[in-house]
Amino acid sequence: MVGPMPGGHTINTQILRVTDTRSVWIATIAIPLLLLAPAFWNGYPLLQWDTGGYLARWYEGYLVPSRSTVFGIYLHLGERSGFWLNLGIQTLATLWILQLVLRVLGLARPIRLIAISLVLVLTTALPWLSSMLLTDIFAGLSVLALFALVLHGEKIATLEKAALVAFTAFAAASHSATLAVLLGLCCAGWAVRPWLRRQLPLGGLVQGSLTLAAGAVMLLTANFALSGQLAWTPGGYGVPFGRMLQDGIVAQYLRDHCARQNLKLCPYREQLPPTADDFLWGHSMFNTLGRFQGLNDEMGFIVLHSLAEYPAWQARAALTATADQLAHVATGEGTNGWIPHTYGIIERYIPAQLAPMRKAKQQRWQLDFTAINRIHVPVALASMLAVALLFGHGLWRRRRDDFTLLAGTVTLALLGNAFICGVISGPHDRYGARMVWVATFVVLIAAARALAKDDADELLSP
């Protein structure tokens, strides 16, 4: 009978160290290239309908609804590189945040990071988000960043923590919905801290809250620098008004009140378009009546009064919109050849980019997400269900470990994102796709933890 080899554990450890050293280099090079694969294939950074509005902020010098000046400045810094600098930042930030979460959970082997990243690239919207000139890549990354900062700040070196604070603040300033989701997570943290004092350090919650405050200050400062106005990014009542119009609430309010109130929309009450997008961004009476500048006060009046007059209807509509948004997770909404506003902004302000942009496959209508979504949509829906079950299982077993808290954080982020985007803007696939890949990441972490336990048992066995 042959016994175990003397020093066998030492040999195994040395092999693992050599393998990990090689894997670090592979991960550092391969993962960013995989994340940029859609942009390389396209021949140019991917564009979206909203991209032009952000690009124009540097040049136009005034604030427009839902277009962050912070993100506009960020895009402007990459113009000379054809925006490849921006994509490089996005992919490196993605690599950093993914490995940081694995590291704070004690799963930081490079080969594991490579495997998880490869699955995310093949089955989720992540590479399409990181290859696109849009705020969406920062929505999911900021949830993971806030989790690491609040719950595991003591495991992170001072310089890296400062970078994490700056990144999270920037992400919060890039889009109001992202800020709202992060703020909701912080509020939830404060609410449950009396029961989770050991797991939720007071210093971490304070630091996370101050980081979001810094993001708000960053946005106000950028708005003032570019427009001379110390004001929040406008958007006001237009977006929720559009959602209420889509639900039929606006039409009912006009029918009930136009006989007694002199509203600009009353002559058009029988001609309202069926969707919010048609009203706000199509050729509707919204343009005739002066768009946001001409209708903002009236839209605000109708929004506030319809909330008071139809509370049950509003509640049902909100629940329906939230549930509907959870099911809207397809990749690629708004990323096709029909984005005339973005083309117009590039032609007007960045003409040097016209030639390479026009050569891209997207601008030649060669981009089709049908086949991609046959994989992405079922993976996304299954991941959401799985992460909710993982969180529920942890609660049932009364576990307060790091993984249960991560699953809970992501579950709340998904619900918060669905509520905020669905209720205010109306359900869109883009809003779901930018967040749901994080659920797949959590499911892969669960698999990695199970495999790591099996590997540890095998390594320690004689």
Side-chain angles (χ1 to χ4, degrees):
M1 182 174 181
V2 180
M5 180 183 295
H9 296 327
T10 302
I11 293 173
N12 287 338
T13 302
Q14 290 174 345
I15 292 173
L16 286 175
R17 286 176 180 172
V18 172
T19 303
D20 281 354
T21 300
R22 292 175 180 171
S23 299
V24 167
W25 289 103
I26 295 172
T28 304
I29 297 171
I31 294 174
L33 292 178
L34 289 170
L35 290 170
L36 282 178
F40 289 143
W41 171 83
N42 186 52
Y44 192 77
L46 295 172
L47 304 174
Q48 207 263 359
W49 181 276
D50 292 350
T51 303
Y54 292 107
L55 286 172
R57 300 289 46 81
W58 176 266
Y59 296 97
E60 293 180 345
Y62 59 86
L63 306 180
V64 299
S66 304
R67 300 293 177 262
S68 164
T69 53
V70 172
F71 192 73
I73 293 171
Y74 160 77
L75 289 182
H76 176 69
L77 295 176
E79 286 179 11
R80 291 182 181 273
S81 69
F83 302 106
W84 291 101
L85 173 63
N86 302 98
L87 298 195
I89 291 171
Q90 290 168 195
T91 53
L92 291 176
T94 302
L95 173 63
W96 171 42
I97 297 299
L98 293 182
Q99 68 82 27
L100 176 61
V101 173
L102 291 175
R103 177 158 35 105
V104 298
L105 294 177
L107 298 168
R109 285 187 59 191
I111 192 66
R112 190 175 289 129
L113 174 61
I114 293 172
I116 288 175
S117 299
L118 181 60
V119 175
L120 290 173
V121 165
L122 294 175
T123 65
T124 75
L126 183 58
W128 298 93
L129 298 174
S130 59
S131 294
M132 190 179 301
L133 300 180
L134 201 61
T135 64
D136 291 5
I137 182 61
F138 298 107
L141 290 178
S142 63
V143 170
L144 298 174
L146 187 67
F147 168 81
L149 181 65
V150 172
L151 276 78
H152 300 282
E154 75 284 352
K155 301 177 183 177
I156 304 172
T158 302
L159 184 60
E160 186 177 21
K161 188 187 293 186
L164 194 62
V165 168
F167 173 83
T168 309
F170 167 79
S174 71
H175 200 285
S176 295
T178 300
L179 174 59
V181 170
L182 299 178
L183 182 60
L185 290 176
C186 274
C187 291
W190 285 108
V192 301
R193 191 176 180 274
W195 296 275
L196 297 172
R197 292 184 181 276
R198 291 180 59 188
Q199 293 80 12
L200 276 172
L202 178 61
L205 276 172
V206 170
Q207 194 164 53
S209 302
L210 290 177
T211 297
L212 300 188
V217 171
M218 187 185 299
L219 181 60
L220 290 171
T221 302
N223 285 352
F224 181 77
L226 289 187
S227 71
Q229 293 179 267
L230 189 62
W232 197 256
T233 301
Y237 296 103
V239 177
F241 178 90
R243 196 270 303 166
M244 293 180 189
L245 178 146
Q246 190 166 289
D247 289 332
I249 295 172
V250 170
Q252 184 63 51
Y253 183 87
L254 293 177
R255 283 194 292 269
D256 291 346
H257 295 277
C258 278
R260 301 186 304 276
Q261 295 176 350
N262 184 24
L263 299 172
K264 297 178 182 178
L265 282 169
C266 283
Y268 303 93
R269 62 182 179 273
E270 303 301 332
Q271 306 167 33
L272 295 175
T275 70
D277 288 343
D278 291 333
F279 179 77
L280 294 172
W281 315 116
H283 300 289
S284 73
M285 65 287 299
F286 186 58
N287 296 332
T288 306
L289 297 174
R291 297 189 61 78
F292 291 98
Q293 185 174 0
L295 266 185
N296 195 60
D297 290 342
E298 181 166 309
M299 289 189 297
F301 179 87
I302 293 174
V303 166
L304 294 176
H305 283 76
S306 63
L307 283 169
E309 293 198 25
Y310 316 118
W313 189 354
Q314 294 279 12
R316 288 194 304 272
L319 288 174
T320 301
T322 300
D324 200 10
Q325 180 59 70
L326 285 172
H328 276 70
V329 292
T331 300
E333 183 187 31
T335 306
N336 51 44
W338 178 247
I339 46 174
H341 180 257
T342 293
Y343 296 156
I345 293 297
I346 291 176
E347 182 176 8
R348 184 183 310 165
Y349 298 118
I350 323 170
Q353 292 298 313
L354 275 180
M357 179 196 70
R358 285 172 175 167
K359 292 178 182 177
K361 288 182 172 61
Q362 180 183 359
Q363 280 58 259
R364 296 182 179 184
W365 289 86
Q366 297 177 23
L367 190 56
D368 186 354
F369 290 92
T370 304
I372 291 169
N373 280 318
R374 290 187 184 127
I375 299 172
H376 287 193
V377 171
V379 168
L381 296 174
S383 297
M384 281 196 295
L385 177 60
V387 78
L389 291 174
L390 288 167
F391 178 47
H393 182 261
L395 289 179
W396 178 260
R397 293 297 184 91
R398 297 186 179 181
R399 292 176 181 167
R400 301 181 182 183
D401 59 292
D402 292 338
F403 178 77
T404 299
L405 294 177
L406 173 62
T409 298
V410 171
T411 300
L412 289 176
L414 290 169
L415 290 172
N417 179 70
F419 177 79
I420 292 164
C421 295
V423 172
I424 295 179
S425 299
H428 287 78
D429 282 305
R430 176 193 155 198
Y431 302 146
R434 71 185 180 190
M435 187 71 71
V436 75
W437 68 266
V438 183
T440 309
F441 180 49
V442 174
V443 173
L444 292 172
I445 289 176
R449 290 173 77 240
L451 291 173
K453 185 178 183 302
D454 292 341
D455 290 344
D457 291 342
E458 183 179 345
L459 187 63
L460 294 174
S461 64

